[in-house]
Amino acid sequence: MSSIFVTGGAGYIGTHTCLELLQAGHKVFVYDNLSNSSRLGLERVERITNTSIEFIEGDVTDANALTRALQHSQCESVIHFAGLKAVGESVTNPLAYYHNNVVGTLTLLRAMLAVGLKKLVFSSSATVYGEPQLLPIDEAHPLSATNPYGRTKLVAEDMLRDHFRAYPDWNITILRYFNPVGAHESGLIGEDPKDTPNNLMPYIAQVAIGLRDRLNIWGNDYPTADGTGVRDYIHVVDLAIGHVKAIATPTPSQCIELNLGTGRGYSVLEVLRAFELASGKAIPHEFFPRRPGDVAACYASTKQAESILQWRAERNLEDMCVDHWRWQHLNPAGYGSNNDFASKHAT
Ligand code: NAD
Ligand code: UFG
């Protein structure tokens, strides 16, 4: 059992991870500026687990506030989720991305040094592999970036590797997520996109609930079985459990990169059919030209995470769709929905 300082813990992956950490008996301290989240997600985590979370509203680029919060928390390790994640927005506002994702990570490292903390789990992304050269993608795959968001993750990763060379007694785990989807089975927490979703499953879910007319499928001429893009979707609860393993695994000083995926790819049309089955709703869709920057197929080799963390994703595509739909159905407008409705109907 230990105390974990979670930056960005009020967000989509953060809330699910806090829940799993609490259920594993850890103490959780969340630091988040709520720029893409609200207190409601954490309040629901507290309700599900019947445990309280200490929360400080603050920005990871604010060195003084962050150092004070770290000191006050007396935590033994840090999970760093805080950051911006919209690829399109990173093209139109790259400085916001370098500031939050790169300066934020740098400020965190300095604050950790100042208070003597040495264990860090960092949220990276399969985006650092750029255009896949071979599949499945293992951690030795060459790194590159195709957009400013990807570059901020790559720069942050490089900074962590350089930092470890200078401080070899640290323990740094860089987790490269593939495509997180789904929601906790309670239906009380889930992804709550503020604007039009860019990602496939939240978009499909909004079509199913009637918020959008149809899904635009970006390309059906890829060299894949049905011509649509293939991705490695991973249930957010499996992803969250991967973080608990990364925190709990007693490892020596190291800086290591691990893929978190299922190792299996599904096409857009396969996801669409699975969601139709899960929701009982038809999902109108239309084909459009490829989205710039998209790759045909991307899925992980998960061997390294399996052997180092003793972890493997357990939930399948049906679970992802059923759980995602439950969250969407109980919270049609995300956390802005009528809370009593969600609470009453949640399983
Ligand atoms: P999210 O937006 O739901 O959560 C991020 C949280 O960080 C939010 O609560 C936000 O308010 C907070 N935050 C942002 N900037 C901050 C700052 N400067 N200071 C303090 N808090 C700040 O996103 P998520 O999907 O939970 O993603 C978490 C992490 O995982 C991000 O670093 C993201 O880049 C990475 N990631 C996400 C995906 C994905 O598809 N969701 C894939 C790969 C990697
Ligand atoms: N897609 C559609 N229509 C949509 C949305 C998506 O057809 O409205 C297709 C895409 O073309 C792609 C697949 O669904 O073939 C998955 O798209 P997502 O946007 O859900 O996921 P990506 O793999 O393109 O991107 C995600 C994150 C990025 C991250 C990348 C690699 O959004 O931030 O995974 O980890 F960089």
Side-chain angles (χ1 to χ4, degrees), residues 7-14 31-38 58-61 80-85 100-101 104 122-126 149 153 176-180 191 199:
T7 77
Y12 172 46
I13 304 171
Y31 185 89
D32 195 304
N33 68 1
L34 302 181
S35 59
N36 197 36
S37 54
S38 73
D59 198 296
V60 284
T61 62
H80 181 37
F81 291 112
L84 303 180
K85 62 168 181 176
N100 275 274
N101 298 1
F122 174 70
S123 293
S124 189
S125 163
Y149 166 70
K153 287 292 175 190
R176 294 179 179 149
Y177 314 152
F178 278 66
N179 291 59
E191 186 168 13
N199 296 122

mmCIF file of all heavy atoms in Angstrom, residues 7-14 31-38 58-61 80-85 100-101 104 122-126 149 153 176-180 191 199, ligand 1:
data_model
loop_
_atom_site.group_PDB
_atom_site.id
_atom_site.type_symbol
_atom_site.label_atom_id
_atom_site.label_comp_id
_atom_site.label_asym_id
_atom_site.label_seq_id
_atom_site.Cartn_x
_atom_site.Cartn_y
_atom_site.Cartn_z
ATOM 1 N N THR A 7 -1.342 13.424 -11.224
ATOM 2 C CA THR A 7 -1.636 14.663 -11.959
ATOM 3 C C THR A 7 -2.642 14.321 -13.056
ATOM 4 O O THR A 7 -2.571 13.240 -13.651
ATOM 5 C CB THR A 7 -0.378 15.282 -12.616
ATOM 6 O OG1 THR A 7 -0.056 14.534 -13.791
ATOM 7 C CG2 THR A 7 0.812 15.314 -11.667
ATOM 8 N N GLY A 8 -3.588 15.206 -13.302
ATOM 9 C CA GLY A 8 -4.605 14.928 -14.331
ATOM 10 C C GLY A 8 -5.541 13.809 -13.909
ATOM 11 O O GLY A 8 -6.204 13.197 -14.753
ATOM 12 N N GLY A 9 -5.639 13.567 -12.623
ATOM 13 C CA GLY A 9 -6.424 12.435 -12.115
ATOM 14 C C GLY A 9 -7.927 12.609 -12.246
ATOM 15 O O GLY A 9 -8.682 11.649 -12.047
ATOM 16 N N ALA A 10 -8.385 13.829 -12.597
ATOM 17 C CA ALA A 10 -9.830 14.035 -12.741
ATOM 18 C C ALA A 10 -10.317 13.692 -14.151
ATOM 19 O O ALA A 10 -11.519 13.706 -14.413
ATOM 20 C CB ALA A 10 -10.186 15.491 -12.412
ATOM 21 N N GLY A 11 -9.394 13.386 -15.070
ATOM 22 C CA GLY A 11 -9.766 13.127 -16.463
ATOM 23 C C GLY A 11 -10.233 11.692 -16.697
ATOM 24 O O GLY A 11 -10.465 10.925 -15.753
ATOM 25 N N TYR A 12 -10.358 11.366 -17.970
ATOM 26 C CA TYR A 12 -10.921 10.063 -18.378
ATOM 27 C C TYR A 12 -10.094 8.891 -17.824
ATOM 28 O O TYR A 12 -10.602 8.061 -17.062
ATOM 29 C CB TYR A 12 -10.981 10.047 -19.913
ATOM 30 C CG TYR A 12 -11.347 8.734 -20.552
ATOM 31 C CD1 TYR A 12 -12.423 7.976 -20.076
ATOM 32 C CD2 TYR A 12 -10.645 8.263 -21.663
ATOM 33 C CE1 TYR A 12 -12.774 6.775 -20.697
ATOM 34 C CE2 TYR A 12 -10.998 7.082 -22.290
ATOM 35 C CZ TYR A 12 -12.055 6.335 -21.800
ATOM 36 O OH TYR A 12 -12.395 5.159 -22.416
ATOM 37 N N ILE A 13 -8.835 8.818 -18.195
ATOM 38 C CA ILE A 13 -8.020 7.676 -17.745
ATOM 39 C C ILE A 13 -7.689 7.841 -16.260
ATOM 40 O O ILE A 13 -7.632 6.869 -15.497
ATOM 41 C CB ILE A 13 -6.746 7.549 -18.609
ATOM 42 C CG1 ILE A 13 -7.137 7.429 -20.091
ATOM 43 C CG2 ILE A 13 -5.919 6.331 -18.191
ATOM 44 C CD1 ILE A 13 -5.971 7.506 -21.071
ATOM 45 N N GLY A 14 -7.522 9.108 -15.833
ATOM 46 C CA GLY A 14 -7.181 9.388 -14.439
ATOM 47 C C GLY A 14 -8.241 8.893 -13.464
ATOM 48 O O GLY A 14 -7.925 8.242 -12.464
ATOM 49 N N TYR A 31 -4.037 16.050 -8.384
ATOM 50 C CA TYR A 31 -3.676 17.438 -8.708
ATOM 51 C C TYR A 31 -4.096 17.674 -10.155
ATOM 52 O O TYR A 31 -3.582 17.021 -11.073
ATOM 53 C CB TYR A 31 -2.157 17.593 -8.537
ATOM 54 C CG TYR A 31 -1.625 18.989 -8.724
ATOM 55 C CD1 TYR A 31 -1.543 19.878 -7.656
ATOM 56 C CD2 TYR A 31 -1.171 19.404 -9.982
ATOM 57 C CE1 TYR A 31 -1.028 21.151 -7.828
ATOM 58 C CE2 TYR A 31 -0.654 20.690 -10.154
ATOM 59 C CZ TYR A 31 -0.588 21.554 -9.071
ATOM 60 O OH TYR A 31 -0.070 22.813 -9.231
ATOM 61 N N ASP A 32 -5.053 18.581 -10.382
ATOM 62 C CA ASP A 32 -5.612 18.759 -11.727
ATOM 63 C C ASP A 32 -6.106 20.192 -11.843
ATOM 64 O O ASP A 32 -6.679 20.728 -10.883
ATOM 65 C CB ASP A 32 -6.789 17.757 -11.903
ATOM 66 C CG ASP A 32 -7.222 17.570 -13.348
ATOM 67 O OD1 ASP A 32 -7.547 18.576 -14.006
ATOM 68 O OD2 ASP A 32 -7.247 16.421 -13.810
ATOM 69 N N ASN A 33 -5.944 20.808 -13.011
ATOM 70 C CA ASN A 33 -6.458 22.181 -13.172
ATOM 71 C C ASN A 33 -7.888 22.202 -13.722
ATOM 72 O O ASN A 33 -8.435 23.268 -13.984
ATOM 73 C CB ASN A 33 -5.522 23.022 -14.062
ATOM 74 C CG ASN A 33 -5.505 22.549 -15.503
ATOM 75 O OD1 ASN A 33 -6.194 21.601 -15.869
ATOM 76 N ND2 ASN A 33 -4.704 23.210 -16.339
ATOM 77 N N LEU A 34 -8.480 21.025 -13.913
ATOM 78 C CA LEU A 34 -9.867 20.868 -14.376
ATOM 79 C C LEU A 34 -10.104 21.532 -15.733
ATOM 80 O O LEU A 34 -11.233 21.900 -16.055
ATOM 81 C CB LEU A 34 -10.870 21.400 -13.324
ATOM 82 C CG LEU A 34 -10.775 20.743 -11.942
ATOM 83 C CD1 LEU A 34 -11.828 21.343 -10.986
ATOM 84 C CD2 LEU A 34 -10.975 19.227 -12.027
ATOM 85 N N SER A 35 -9.039 21.686 -16.537
ATOM 86 C CA SER A 35 -9.214 22.323 -17.845
ATOM 87 C C SER A 35 -10.002 21.416 -18.793
ATOM 88 O O SER A 35 -10.618 21.895 -19.740
ATOM 89 C CB SER A 35 -7.858 22.662 -18.468
ATOM 90 O OG SER A 35 -7.082 21.494 -18.623
ATOM 91 N N ASN A 36 -9.965 20.106 -18.551
ATOM 92 C CA ASN A 36 -10.746 19.203 -19.414
ATOM 93 C C ASN A 36 -11.528 18.187 -18.570
ATOM 94 O O ASN A 36 -11.710 17.046 -18.984
ATOM 95 C CB ASN A 36 -9.815 18.480 -20.400
ATOM 96 C CG ASN A 36 -10.586 17.874 -21.554
ATOM 97 O OD1 ASN A 36 -11.574 18.440 -22.028
ATOM 98 N ND2 ASN A 36 -10.166 16.699 -22.012
ATOM 99 N N SER A 37 -11.944 18.612 -17.400
ATOM 100 C CA SER A 37 -12.648 17.677 -16.505
ATOM 101 C C SER A 37 -13.381 18.485 -15.437
ATOM 102 O O SER A 37 -13.325 19.710 -15.429
ATOM 103 C CB SER A 37 -11.647 16.728 -15.841
ATOM 104 O OG SER A 37 -10.638 17.476 -15.198
ATOM 105 N N SER A 38 -14.056 17.767 -14.540
ATOM 106 C CA SER A 38 -14.734 18.458 -13.442
ATOM 107 C C SER A 38 -14.561 17.619 -12.183
ATOM 108 O O SER A 38 -14.070 16.490 -12.247
ATOM 109 C CB SER A 38 -16.224 18.611 -13.756
ATOM 110 O OG SER A 38 -16.851 17.348 -13.632
ATOM 111 N N GLY A 58 -4.892 22.690 -9.364
ATOM 112 C CA GLY A 58 -3.648 23.382 -9.673
ATOM 113 C C GLY A 58 -3.122 22.948 -11.026
ATOM 114 O O GLY A 58 -3.564 21.948 -11.598
ATOM 115 N N ASP A 59 -2.162 23.731 -11.509
ATOM 116 C CA ASP A 59 -1.621 23.503 -12.843
ATOM 117 C C ASP A 59 -0.217 22.901 -12.719
ATOM 118 O O ASP A 59 0.578 23.346 -11.883
ATOM 119 C CB ASP A 59 -1.563 24.863 -13.568
ATOM 120 C CG ASP A 59 -1.444 24.689 -15.059
ATOM 121 O OD1 ASP A 59 -0.418 24.138 -15.519
ATOM 122 O OD2 ASP A 59 -2.386 25.075 -15.772
ATOM 123 N N VAL A 60 0.082 21.929 -13.571
ATOM 124 C CA VAL A 60 1.413 21.305 -13.470
ATOM 125 C C VAL A 60 2.533 22.233 -13.936
ATOM 126 O O VAL A 60 3.706 21.964 -13.686
ATOM 127 C CB VAL A 60 1.529 19.962 -14.237
ATOM 128 C CG1 VAL A 60 0.853 18.832 -13.500
ATOM 129 C CG2 VAL A 60 1.047 20.070 -15.662
ATOM 130 N N THR A 61 2.164 23.314 -14.633
ATOM 131 C CA THR A 61 3.220 24.244 -15.037
ATOM 132 C C THR A 61 3.497 25.293 -13.952
ATOM 133 O O THR A 61 4.381 26.127 -14.114
ATOM 134 C CB THR A 61 2.856 24.958 -16.363
ATOM 135 O OG1 THR A 61 1.673 25.721 -16.150
ATOM 136 C CG2 THR A 61 2.629 23.966 -17.489
ATOM 137 N N HIS A 80 1.662 10.637 -13.940
ATOM 138 C CA HIS A 80 1.516 11.932 -14.616
ATOM 139 C C HIS A 80 0.622 11.816 -15.857
ATOM 140 O O HIS A 80 1.089 11.508 -16.950
ATOM 141 C CB HIS A 80 2.913 12.427 -15.004
ATOM 142 C CG HIS A 80 2.930 13.763 -15.683
ATOM 143 N ND1 HIS A 80 2.086 14.801 -15.351
ATOM 144 C CD2 HIS A 80 3.710 14.245 -16.697
ATOM 145 C CE1 HIS A 80 2.332 15.846 -16.123
ATOM 146 N NE2 HIS A 80 3.308 15.526 -16.950
ATOM 147 N N PHE A 81 -0.678 12.090 -15.652
ATOM 148 C CA PHE A 81 -1.636 12.086 -16.766
ATOM 149 C C PHE A 81 -1.830 13.483 -17.343
ATOM 150 O O PHE A 81 -2.281 13.615 -18.479
ATOM 151 C CB PHE A 81 -3.029 11.646 -16.288
ATOM 152 C CG PHE A 81 -3.156 10.206 -15.888
ATOM 153 C CD1 PHE A 81 -3.367 9.854 -14.563
ATOM 154 C CD2 PHE A 81 -3.084 9.202 -16.837
ATOM 155 C CE1 PHE A 81 -3.518 8.529 -14.195
ATOM 156 C CE2 PHE A 81 -3.228 7.868 -16.469
ATOM 157 C CZ PHE A 81 -3.443 7.528 -15.143
ATOM 158 N N ALA A 82 -1.592 14.526 -16.540
ATOM 159 C CA ALA A 82 -1.996 15.880 -16.940
ATOM 160 C C ALA A 82 -1.383 16.261 -18.278
ATOM 161 O O ALA A 82 -0.178 16.131 -18.480
ATOM 162 C CB ALA A 82 -1.585 16.886 -15.864
ATOM 163 N N GLY A 83 -2.233 16.727 -19.178
ATOM 164 C CA GLY A 83 -1.739 17.157 -20.475
ATOM 165 C C GLY A 83 -2.905 17.359 -21.412
ATOM 166 O O GLY A 83 -4.045 17.036 -21.080
ATOM 167 N N LEU A 84 -2.599 17.890 -22.580
ATOM 168 C CA LEU A 84 -3.615 18.077 -23.618
ATOM 169 C C LEU A 84 -3.439 16.961 -24.641
ATOM 170 O O LEU A 84 -2.325 16.501 -24.882
ATOM 171 C CB LEU A 84 -3.441 19.454 -24.279
ATOM 172 C CG LEU A 84 -3.494 20.655 -23.327
ATOM 173 C CD1 LEU A 84 -3.302 21.960 -24.106
ATOM 174 C CD2 LEU A 84 -4.832 20.689 -22.568
ATOM 175 N N LYS A 85 -4.555 16.549 -25.280
ATOM 176 C CA LYS A 85 -4.468 15.329 -26.093
ATOM 177 C C LYS A 85 -5.146 15.381 -27.464
ATOM 178 O O LYS A 85 -5.246 14.354 -28.124
ATOM 179 C CB LYS A 85 -5.061 14.170 -25.304
ATOM 180 C CG LYS A 85 -6.534 14.358 -24.978
ATOM 181 C CD LYS A 85 -7.184 13.086 -24.443
ATOM 182 C CE LYS A 85 -8.650 13.305 -24.165
ATOM 183 N NZ LYS A 85 -9.368 12.138 -23.744
ATOM 184 N N ASN A 100 1.816 22.775 -21.898
ATOM 185 C CA ASN A 100 1.197 21.816 -20.964
ATOM 186 C C ASN A 100 1.958 20.499 -20.907
ATOM 187 O O ASN A 100 2.175 19.951 -19.827
ATOM 188 C CB ASN A 100 -0.244 21.523 -21.387
ATOM 189 C CG ASN A 100 -1.200 22.552 -20.846
ATOM 190 O OD1 ASN A 100 -1.687 22.442 -19.732
ATOM 191 N ND2 ASN A 100 -1.423 23.602 -21.617
ATOM 192 N N ASN A 101 2.316 19.970 -22.067
ATOM 193 C CA ASN A 101 2.857 18.603 -22.098
ATOM 194 C C ASN A 101 4.367 18.549 -21.855
ATOM 195 O O ASN A 101 4.852 17.610 -21.210
ATOM 196 C CB ASN A 101 2.523 17.938 -23.436
ATOM 197 C CG ASN A 101 1.014 17.798 -23.645
ATOM 198 O OD1 ASN A 101 0.219 18.211 -22.797
ATOM 199 N ND2 ASN A 101 0.606 17.244 -24.761
ATOM 200 N N GLY A 104 5.068 21.218 -18.627
ATOM 201 C CA GLY A 104 4.408 20.563 -17.482
ATOM 202 C C GLY A 104 5.230 19.390 -16.966
ATOM 203 O O GLY A 104 5.433 19.250 -15.749
ATOM 204 N N PHE A 122 4.557 7.632 -16.505
ATOM 205 C CA PHE A 122 4.229 8.701 -17.453
ATOM 206 C C PHE A 122 3.294 8.193 -18.549
ATOM 207 O O PHE A 122 3.512 7.127 -19.125
ATOM 208 C CB PHE A 122 5.526 9.239 -18.083
ATOM 209 C CG PHE A 122 5.282 10.247 -19.172
ATOM 210 C CD1 PHE A 122 4.790 11.507 -18.863
ATOM 211 C CD2 PHE A 122 5.523 9.931 -20.509
ATOM 212 C CE1 PHE A 122 4.539 12.440 -19.869
ATOM 213 C CE2 PHE A 122 5.280 10.859 -21.518
ATOM 214 C CZ PHE A 122 4.792 12.119 -21.195
ATOM 215 N N SER A 123 2.264 8.995 -18.873
ATOM 216 C CA SER A 123 1.311 8.685 -19.951
ATOM 217 C C SER A 123 1.895 9.052 -21.290
ATOM 218 O O SER A 123 1.909 10.222 -21.666
ATOM 219 C CB SER A 123 0.062 9.558 -19.825
ATOM 220 O OG SER A 123 -0.686 9.259 -18.711
ATOM 221 N N SER A 124 2.319 8.047 -22.052
ATOM 222 C CA SER A 124 2.696 8.332 -23.428
ATOM 223 C C SER A 124 1.676 7.676 -24.343
ATOM 224 O O SER A 124 0.609 7.247 -23.888
ATOM 225 C CB SER A 124 4.128 7.872 -23.709
ATOM 226 O OG SER A 124 4.523 8.349 -24.975
ATOM 227 N N SER A 125 2.003 7.608 -25.618
ATOM 228 C CA SER A 125 0.993 7.197 -26.589
ATOM 229 C C SER A 125 1.653 6.435 -27.729
ATOM 230 O O SER A 125 2.822 6.683 -28.059
ATOM 231 C CB SER A 125 0.338 8.471 -27.132
ATOM 232 O OG SER A 125 -0.344 8.208 -28.322
ATOM 233 N N ALA A 126 0.871 5.568 -28.364
ATOM 234 C CA ALA A 126 1.359 4.861 -29.552
ATOM 235 C C ALA A 126 1.670 5.851 -30.669
ATOM 236 O O ALA A 126 2.327 5.486 -31.651
ATOM 237 C CB ALA A 126 0.303 3.869 -30.020
ATOM 238 N N TYR A 149 1.141 17.270 -31.229
ATOM 239 C CA TYR A 149 0.820 16.478 -30.026
ATOM 240 C C TYR A 149 1.824 15.334 -29.879
ATOM 241 O O TYR A 149 2.405 15.128 -28.809
ATOM 242 C CB TYR A 149 -0.608 15.924 -30.124
ATOM 243 C CG TYR A 149 -0.894 14.843 -29.103
ATOM 244 C CD1 TYR A 149 -1.009 15.150 -27.748
ATOM 245 C CD2 TYR A 149 -1.041 13.500 -29.485
ATOM 246 C CE1 TYR A 149 -1.264 14.154 -26.804
ATOM 247 C CE2 TYR A 149 -1.296 12.507 -28.555
ATOM 248 C CZ TYR A 149 -1.397 12.838 -27.215
ATOM 249 O OH TYR A 149 -1.641 11.850 -26.281
ATOM 250 N N LYS A 153 4.825 14.437 -26.889
ATOM 251 C CA LYS A 153 4.991 13.173 -26.156
ATOM 252 C C LYS A 153 6.412 12.642 -26.362
ATOM 253 O O LYS A 153 7.042 12.127 -25.437
ATOM 254 C CB LYS A 153 3.962 12.136 -26.632
ATOM 255 C CG LYS A 153 2.548 12.428 -26.165
ATOM 256 C CD LYS A 153 2.406 12.252 -24.655
ATOM 257 C CE LYS A 153 1.043 12.664 -24.143
ATOM 258 N NZ LYS A 153 0.934 12.725 -22.686
ATOM 259 N N ARG A 176 2.953 3.467 -23.065
ATOM 260 C CA ARG A 176 2.469 3.923 -24.379
ATOM 261 C C ARG A 176 1.107 3.287 -24.628
ATOM 262 O O ARG A 176 1.009 2.089 -24.909
ATOM 263 C CB ARG A 176 3.461 3.530 -25.464
ATOM 264 C CG ARG A 176 4.793 4.270 -25.320
ATOM 265 C CD ARG A 176 5.784 3.848 -26.380
ATOM 266 N NE ARG A 176 7.038 4.581 -26.243
ATOM 267 C CZ ARG A 176 8.228 4.091 -26.572
ATOM 268 N NH1 ARG A 176 8.334 2.869 -27.079
ATOM 269 N NH2 ARG A 176 9.311 4.815 -26.415
ATOM 270 N N TYR A 177 0.062 4.114 -24.494
ATOM 271 C CA TYR A 177 -1.299 3.595 -24.655
ATOM 272 C C TYR A 177 -1.617 3.468 -26.136
ATOM 273 O O TYR A 177 -1.305 4.355 -26.919
ATOM 274 C CB TYR A 177 -2.358 4.538 -24.071
ATOM 275 C CG TYR A 177 -2.080 5.105 -22.713
ATOM 276 C CD1 TYR A 177 -2.614 6.344 -22.356
ATOM 277 C CD2 TYR A 177 -1.322 4.420 -21.757
ATOM 278 C CE1 TYR A 177 -2.405 6.884 -21.103
ATOM 279 C CE2 TYR A 177 -1.106 4.962 -20.499
ATOM 280 C CZ TYR A 177 -1.634 6.196 -20.184
ATOM 281 O OH TYR A 177 -1.425 6.749 -18.949
ATOM 282 N N PHE A 178 -2.366 2.432 -26.485
ATOM 283 C CA PHE A 178 -2.902 2.339 -27.840
ATOM 284 C C PHE A 178 -4.251 3.094 -27.847
ATOM 285 O O PHE A 178 -4.247 4.282 -27.575
ATOM 286 C CB PHE A 178 -2.870 0.882 -28.324
ATOM 287 C CG PHE A 178 -1.461 0.570 -28.824
ATOM 288 C CD1 PHE A 178 -0.386 0.547 -27.925
ATOM 289 C CD2 PHE A 178 -1.184 0.455 -30.163
ATOM 290 C CE1 PHE A 178 0.933 0.388 -28.381
ATOM 291 C CE2 PHE A 178 0.126 0.285 -30.630
ATOM 292 C CZ PHE A 178 1.174 0.247 -29.730
ATOM 293 N N ASN A 179 -5.387 2.488 -28.063
ATOM 294 C CA ASN A 179 -6.617 3.301 -28.173
ATOM 295 C C ASN A 179 -7.567 3.028 -27.010
ATOM 296 O O ASN A 179 -8.395 2.117 -27.086
ATOM 297 C CB ASN A 179 -7.304 3.026 -29.515
ATOM 298 C CG ASN A 179 -6.518 3.569 -30.689
ATOM 299 O OD1 ASN A 179 -5.372 3.186 -30.884
ATOM 300 N ND2 ASN A 179 -7.093 4.464 -31.446
ATOM 301 N N PRO A 180 -7.500 3.837 -25.942
ATOM 302 C CA PRO A 180 -8.359 3.603 -24.784
ATOM 303 C C PRO A 180 -9.825 3.913 -25.089
ATOM 304 O O PRO A 180 -10.134 4.963 -25.656
ATOM 305 C CB PRO A 180 -7.832 4.597 -23.731
ATOM 306 C CG PRO A 180 -6.545 5.125 -24.271
ATOM 307 C CD PRO A 180 -6.609 4.995 -25.752
ATOM 308 N N GLU A 191 -15.692 8.671 -20.458
ATOM 309 C CA GLU A 191 -15.094 9.788 -21.203
ATOM 310 C C GLU A 191 -16.178 10.831 -21.471
ATOM 311 O O GLU A 191 -17.277 10.492 -21.876
ATOM 312 C CB GLU A 191 -14.504 9.281 -22.523
ATOM 313 C CG GLU A 191 -13.752 10.363 -23.260
ATOM 314 C CD GLU A 191 -12.926 9.826 -24.421
ATOM 315 O OE1 GLU A 191 -13.124 8.663 -24.806
ATOM 316 O OE2 GLU A 191 -12.093 10.598 -24.927
ATOM 317 N N ASN A 199 -12.331 10.957 -31.707
ATOM 318 C CA ASN A 199 -12.043 9.524 -31.655
ATOM 319 C C ASN A 199 -13.284 8.701 -31.996
ATOM 320 O O ASN A 199 -14.421 9.143 -31.798
ATOM 321 C CB ASN A 199 -11.502 9.134 -30.273
ATOM 322 C CG ASN A 199 -10.179 9.814 -29.991
ATOM 323 O OD1 ASN A 199 -10.048 10.526 -29.018
ATOM 324 N ND2 ASN A 199 -9.214 9.637 -30.866
HETATM 325 P P1 NAD B 1 -8.243 13.928 -20.181
HETATM 326 O O1 NAD B 1 -8.230 15.216 -20.891
HETATM 327 O O2 NAD B 1 -9.563 13.307 -19.874
HETATM 328 O O3 NAD B 1 -7.422 14.027 -18.811
HETATM 329 C C1 NAD B 1 -6.322 14.883 -18.662
HETATM 330 C C2 NAD B 1 -6.504 15.638 -17.353
HETATM 331 O O4 NAD B 1 -5.375 16.512 -17.171
HETATM 332 C C3 NAD B 1 -7.758 16.489 -17.319
HETATM 333 O O5 NAD B 1 -8.461 16.257 -16.113
HETATM 334 C C4 NAD B 1 -7.242 17.929 -17.390
HETATM 335 O O6 NAD B 1 -8.084 18.818 -16.692
HETATM 336 C C5 NAD B 1 -5.876 17.784 -16.756
HETATM 337 N N1 NAD B 1 -4.883 18.769 -17.197
HETATM 338 C C6 NAD B 1 -4.583 19.143 -18.463
HETATM 339 N N2 NAD B 1 -3.602 20.052 -18.451
HETATM 340 C C7 NAD B 1 -3.263 20.257 -17.151
HETATM 341 C C8 NAD B 1 -2.316 21.077 -16.505
HETATM 342 N N3 NAD B 1 -1.521 21.898 -17.190
HETATM 343 N N4 NAD B 1 -2.231 21.020 -15.161
HETATM 344 C C9 NAD B 1 -3.042 20.199 -14.427
HETATM 345 N N5 NAD B 1 -3.969 19.406 -15.008
HETATM 346 C C10 NAD B 1 -4.064 19.429 -16.356
HETATM 347 O O7 NAD B 1 -7.333 12.915 -21.031
HETATM 348 P P2 NAD B 1 -7.102 11.353 -20.845
HETATM 349 O O8 NAD B 1 -7.709 10.675 -22.022
HETATM 350 O O9 NAD B 1 -7.464 10.930 -19.506
HETATM 351 O O10 NAD B 1 -5.525 11.295 -21.061
HETATM 352 C C11 NAD B 1 -4.622 11.258 -19.980
HETATM 353 C C12 NAD B 1 -3.204 11.219 -20.526
HETATM 354 O O11 NAD B 1 -3.062 10.083 -21.381
HETATM 355 C C13 NAD B 1 -2.819 12.442 -21.366
HETATM 356 O O12 NAD B 1 -1.474 12.775 -21.081
HETATM 357 C C14 NAD B 1 -2.947 11.933 -22.787
HETATM 358 O O13 NAD B 1 -2.080 12.624 -23.669
HETATM 359 C C15 NAD B 1 -2.530 10.479 -22.629
HETATM 360 N N6 NAD B 1 -3.080 9.616 -23.698
HETATM 361 C C16 NAD B 1 -4.445 9.573 -23.889
HETATM 362 C C17 NAD B 1 -4.958 8.770 -24.912
HETATM 363 C C18 NAD B 1 -6.438 8.731 -25.178
HETATM 364 O O14 NAD B 1 -6.831 8.323 -26.280
HETATM 365 N N7 NAD B 1 -7.301 9.096 -24.233
HETATM 366 C C19 NAD B 1 -4.098 8.007 -25.714
HETATM 367 C C20 NAD B 1 -2.733 8.057 -25.458
HETATM 368 C C21 NAD B 1 -2.230 8.871 -24.440
#
